[in-house]
Amino acid sequence: MTEEVFINPEQSALVVIDMQKDFCYEDGALFMGEGVEEIILRIRGLIEKAARKKVHLIFTQDWHSLDDEEFEVWGRHCVRDTRGAEIIDELLPFSKEAYVVKKQKYSAFFGTNLDLHLKEKGIKRLIIAGVATNICVLHTAIDASLRGYEIIVPEDCVAALSDYEQEYGLQHIKSVLKGTITSTSTIVF
Ligand code: ZN
């Protein structure tokens, strides 16, 4: 895990998944726990590091209508145009510079124009950060992999509700999708 991972900045995008108030703040509707508080500053650092090499930046926002069927599983969260659906204050300035994808399902590819956008930009690999490792990060990674993108996940920039969920999300990305699991400090653009 200490080996450096060299990433060509020109064909890469940093995808920051669902860093929204409902998931990241203690008073949020679906707070991910302490793990998410720890990744906020690291994601900020990674964004800054990527920006210096002009790596394309994408933010996703979970974005539901008031009666979304997903609430049967998770309860109400990230209702569109509410405070809980906002990007967290710590990352908001960066999201203003990013391409923002609003998504209704776990995968950022489902029902969005993300794939078309990435192809127009000539992107071939995605560095994926955010929450939750086993839900929207994993489903987005799976959809990206099916579409031929290379996947890199810095494990210190993703979080889940439990250690078990964190582990199986990363394990799936590594062993089934053949993604690269690394850490922020070993990524070199
Ligand atoms: Zn949701």
Side-chain angles (χ1 to χ4, degrees), residues 18 23 30 62-64 68 70-71 74-75 77-78 103-106 136:
D18 296 3
F23 297 127
L30 198 47
D62 211 25
W63 200 254
H64 297 297
D68 196 301
E70 194 187 284
F71 297 161
W74 298 107
H77 63 278
C78 295
K103 64 183 189 51
Q104 192 189 336
K105 300 293 185 183
Y106 302 150
C136 294

Side-chain angles (χ1 to χ4, degrees), residues 56-60 94-95 97-101 113-114 117:
H56 190 58
L57 180 61
I58 290 167
F59 270 69
T60 73
F94 301 103
S95 73
E97 306 294 316
Y99 184 80
V100 179
V101 176
N113 64 352
L114 177 59
H117 173 75

Side-chain angles (χ1 to χ4, degrees), residues 13 30 36 48 84 93 126 155 159 167 182 189:
L30 198 47
V36 77
E48 287 168 342
L126 306 182
E155 63 180 353
E167 272 309 303
T182 182
F189 292 110

Side-chain angles (χ1 to χ4, degrees), residues 14-19 43 46 127-131 137 152 154 157-158:
L14 173 56
V15 185
V16 180
I17 305 276
D18 296 3
M19 291 299 283
I43 290 178
L46 182 61
I127 302 123
I128 304 179
V131 290
V137 169
I152 297 152
C157 286
V158 291

